[in-house]
Amino acid sequence: SFLRERVLAMKEIWTKEEAEFHGEFVNFDPIWAYPKPVQKPHPPVFFGVNTPNGRQRVVEYCDGWLPIAARVDIVSGIADLRQRAEKAGRDPKSIAVTVFGPKPDETVLRGYEKAGVERVLLMLPSAGRERVLPLLDNYAKLIQGFKQP
């Protein structure tokens, strides 16, 4: 697919002194690109998708899954992702899961933690400090009991 080739081509550029890629949609002869990323072997590639076919793509060429909490059952999605990884011969634990926009509720977040979610991205409104600062204070209290990276 077009996306797959783009991701694989980026990884070549990030990891090879002289990168080259020849696919159906992305095609280039040897090139040099600097600076190289600090993260080794390359920055993690997360795919934000909420479908079974998308999770298959995560298994094939991504480092992590980034689902939107309101659009998918995270726990069953993780089970599906792990099953797909095992079937493909990939260690399911090698795929990081970050959930975008979960409900800021300890019970919900504990369920995600138990299912193997590594991190969550809590939402903040585009609003003034009078609205945002109290939310940040509540989030700080909420995350105190969780493992920090």
Side-chain angles (χ1 to χ4, degrees), residues 76-91:
S76 65
I78 290 172
D80 176 61
L81 184 69
R82 287 180 175 159
Q83 185 177 47
R84 290 171 183 277
E86 287 173 1
K87 186 175 180 181
R90 181 170 176 185
D91 178 3

Side-chain angles (χ1 to χ4, degrees), residues 18-51:
E18 187 174 272
E20 121 178 60
F21 192 91
H22 301 285
E24 180 181 353
F25 303 102
V26 179
N27 187 17
F28 55 87
D29 290 328
I31 63 166
W32 300 268
Y34 298 97
K36 297 295 185 191
V38 172
Q39 292 167 297
K40 299 299 178 199
H42 53 73
V45 176
F46 280 74
F47 191 27
V49 64
N50 296 311
T51 66

